[in-house]
Amino acid sequence: MDAVLQALADQSRRTVLEILRDHPATAGELAAALPIARPGVSRHLRVLREAGLVTVDQEAQRRIYSLHPEALMEVDQWLESYRALWEQRLDALHTEIARGKKARK
C-alpha cells in the first residue's frame, strides 16, 4: 500500500491515472496532456507500473498503458474506517441542523 500512496502523492501521476480511467493511452498521448517532457512522463509511468496502478501492453512498436484499479483496493479498504467516522459526524451534523430548524419554527 505504501508504494501506491507514494505514487498517488504526485499530481502528474494522479493526472495520468485520471486519463487512463477514461481510456488506455500511449506515453505520447499522456505526454501531450501533461506540462512535462516525455522522459518525465516515462518516469511517472514506471512509478505507476511498479506500484501496480497501470499495466502496459505491447502492440507492435507502441506501448498502451491502462489503469489497473485493483491496486487501489487496499487503499480503499484502509480508508473505510475513516469513511465510517465521517459518516457518523455528518449524521450528527444532520441531526443538529434538523434540531435548529425545529427550534426556529
Side-chain angles (χ1 to χ4, degrees), residues 40-59:
V41 172
S42 294
R43 285 191 292 274
H44 286 305
L45 286 168
R46 181 176 40 98
V47 171
L48 292 169
R49 272 194 332 265
E50 290 172 356
L53 289 163
V54 299
T55 58
V56 61
D57 293 313
Q58 188 84 28
E59 289 183 7

Side-chain angles (χ1 to χ4, degrees), residues 34-87:
L34 295 168
I36 56 177
R38 180 130 182 208
V41 172
S42 294
R43 285 191 292 274
H44 286 305
L45 286 168
R46 181 176 40 98
V47 171
L48 292 169
R49 272 194 332 265
E50 290 172 356
L53 289 163
V54 299
T55 58
V56 61
D57 293 313
Q58 188 84 28
E59 289 183 7
Q61 299 299 319
R62 296 174 38 167
R63 291 182 180 179
I64 310 296
Y65 294 88
S66 300
L67 179 64
H68 184 69
E70 291 82 359
L72 294 169
M73 289 176 62
E74 187 178 359
V75 175
D76 184 56
Q77 291 169 350
W78 180 73
L79 289 171
E80 185 60 35
S81 62
Y82 294 96
R83 273 190 215 100
L85 173 68
W86 279 106
E87 286 174 7

